[in-house]
Amino acid sequence: MSLTFPLGFTAAAMAAGIKPSGKTDLSGVTSASDCTWAFAGTRSTTAAACVTRNRELYASGQPVRALLVNAGNANAATGRRGAADNADMADAFGSVLNVPAGGVLTASTGIIGHLLPMDRVLSGIEHLPDELSEGADAFASAIMTTDTRPKAAQATLSTGARIVGTAKGSGMIHPDMATMFAFAFTDAAVEQEALRAAFPAIVNRTFNAVTVDGDTSTNDIALVLANGQAGEVPLEEFLTALEEVMRDLARQIAADGEGATKLLTVQVSGARTEAEALAAARTCCVSPLLKSAVHGNDPNWGRVIMAVGRSGAAVDVGGLTVSVQGQPVFAGGPLPYDAAQVSASMKADEVRFVIDLGVGEASGEAWGCDLSADYVRINAEYTT
């Protein structure tokens, strides 16, 4: 991966000593001019300090200029001290950039319930500006926790404006807004009102359509920052490109789920509403039984029927159809098929189920991964 940020954005990353591994764990992005922005944060009632503060800034409507991220420590369930530490991080980064603290967003990820080593964090922040560059690769790597690889995507619009997105997420991934970190940066000029009006639906169709294990983090954040340095763009073109970048990142997160060996994609059509289509697709992707079958290359379509049935989506069983890797296996009743051949087709990097609920015209898609023994190992040893 070799990626540069859009015009006016620079980033820096360093090892501040937050992670015991000594890997990069403190990073920041700054813009040469004020940004319009849109935000989504976890709906968890135990949200971390960074989510709470960002939500307050979002409500104020003020522009932002920078984002500071630390990995290795979630700064969640840390009380008033954690909230004060989060604010101090923003103040410190704003000070070295000569930007008001209210123009600095924060994001933390890692172990819950531990106070940040603020002496190391603040010392690192002082040196971050010395490392600023247009390269995005170091930033994409520095935000990772249990990810096995950095995640990035980009798009170029007809005007030459660009969108660059980075994300992190591997475990504790389930739809309840964002389900990970996802940051998009663009030099397109986009009105804040229009951006914020469109962003929730984009998040719902992308990051809220990803599930790895059914658990939602305390720290989930999705952001898009637009500094306008490349000028105005057609709004519809921009929003389409933004959703494509977000969808690409969402699929990368699902494919890199903890212990995953393959990406699970579930496409649902024939639903009464998009919400019901997404509910059915998500429920399939989070089902431990279906995820285990995918890991074992078992075309057990009964687990699809089970998941769809408990999803809350309306279904006409007589009109319901299911296919696995392009092979129809159910159409109002069982269909004959070569199980060994379908099983062999499931030995792939991506396993795809296509379902028609038979009750409407709406559709939706969700992404997950298989469930392997490595998922248990990774999380059994997470803090030990």
Side-chain angles (χ1 to χ4, degrees):
M1 181 176 66
S2 181
L3 194 62
T4 58
F5 280 108
L7 292 173
F9 287 102
T10 53
M14 65 179 299
I18 304 169
K19 290 181 178 178
S21 66
K23 294 182 179 179
T24 53
D25 50 23
L26 185 67
S27 55
V29 179
T30 183
S31 171
S33 56
D34 286 347
C35 298
T36 59
W37 60 295
F39 161 86
T42 181
R43 289 192 290 261
S44 169
T45 56
T46 55
C50 57
V51 175
T52 300
R53 180 178 176 276
N54 289 345
R55 187 168 281 133
E56 292 170 353
L57 292 173
Y58 193 59
S60 74
Q62 62 185 303
V64 299
R65 288 281 296 275
L67 168 67
L68 179 69
V69 186
N70 79 267
N73 187 312
N75 193 21
T78 48
R80 293 181 179 177
R81 170 70 181 275
D85 288 345
N86 179 67
D88 287 346
M89 289 169 57
D91 288 343
F93 198 40
S95 179
V96 297
L97 295 175
N98 197 27
V99 170
V104 178
L105 303 175
T106 56
S108 299
T109 182
I111 297 174
I112 294 170
H114 292 247
L115 290 170
L116 282 164
M118 287 301 290
D119 54 340
R120 301 174 196 169
V121 172
L122 295 176
S123 176
I125 290 172
E126 288 183 14
H127 295 94
L128 270 181
D130 299 335
E131 307 297 326
L132 288 172
S133 74
E134 296 178 353
D137 295 352
F139 175 76
S141 296
I143 66 177
M144 297 192 305
T145 47
T146 58
D147 307 61
T148 66
R149 52 189 178 270
K151 301 163 181 68
Q154 63 177 322
T156 301
L157 305 180
S158 61
T159 62
R162 298 175 61 232
I163 303 170
V164 170
T166 62
K168 64 81 55 182
S170 189
M172 205 182 290
I173 305 290
H174 187 65
D176 197 12
M177 191 338 290
T179 59
M180 69 285 299
F181 282 170
F183 308 126
F185 308 93
T186 181
D187 49 17
V190 186
E191 291 289 339
Q192 184 152 288
E193 184 176 354
L195 188 60
R196 293 188 173 189
F199 197 57
I202 292 175
V203 168
N204 201 45
R205 290 190 295 265
T206 57
F207 300 122
N208 271 349
V210 177
T211 181
V212 169
D213 49 22
D215 282 324
T216 298
S217 173
T218 55
N219 292 57
D220 303 339
I221 292 172
L223 287 170
V224 55
L225 279 67
N227 68 13
Q229 296 213 352
E232 294 185 2
V233 298
L235 180 61
E236 185 174 352
E237 180 190 0
F238 172 80
L239 294 176
T240 297
L242 177 63
E243 185 163 345
E244 288 174 354
V245 167
M246 297 299 205
R247 181 178 293 107
D248 190 337
L249 293 173
R251 285 173 54 84
Q252 290 183 53
I253 287 170
D256 193 30
E258 288 176 343
T261 67
K262 59 188 76 175
L263 173 66
L264 168 59
T265 297
V266 178
Q267 294 176 295
V268 174
S269 60
R272 293 188 304 186
T273 64
E274 181 182 76
E276 290 194 2
L278 287 170
R282 291 166 180 161
T283 305
C284 289
C285 284
V286 79
S287 165
L289 289 174
L290 182 57
K291 288 159 64 69
S292 297
V294 169
H295 182 68
N297 308 310
D298 181 6
N300 186 349
W301 55 261
R303 295 180 175 181
V304 174
I305 302 295
M306 171 278 298
V308 167
R310 73 176 177 86
S311 70
V315 179
D316 174 11
V317 177
L320 178 67
T321 65
V322 179
S323 70
V324 185
Q325 296 294 76
Q327 172 63 54
V329 296
F330 184 90
L335 296 174
Y337 66 96
D338 186 330
Q341 185 177 47
V342 177
S343 177
S345 73
M346 295 174 71
K347 297 175 181 178
D349 292 337
E350 179 176 0
V351 174
R352 184 178 296 268
F353 291 84
V354 177
I355 305 163
D356 191 306
L357 303 183
V359 294
E361 302 296 327
S363 62
E365 183 170 303
W367 309 280
C369 60
D370 59 332
L371 179 59
S372 73
D374 271 349
Y375 176 84
V376 177
R377 179 190 58 77
I378 290 167
N379 285 286
E381 301 171 356
Y382 191 70
T383 65
T384 55

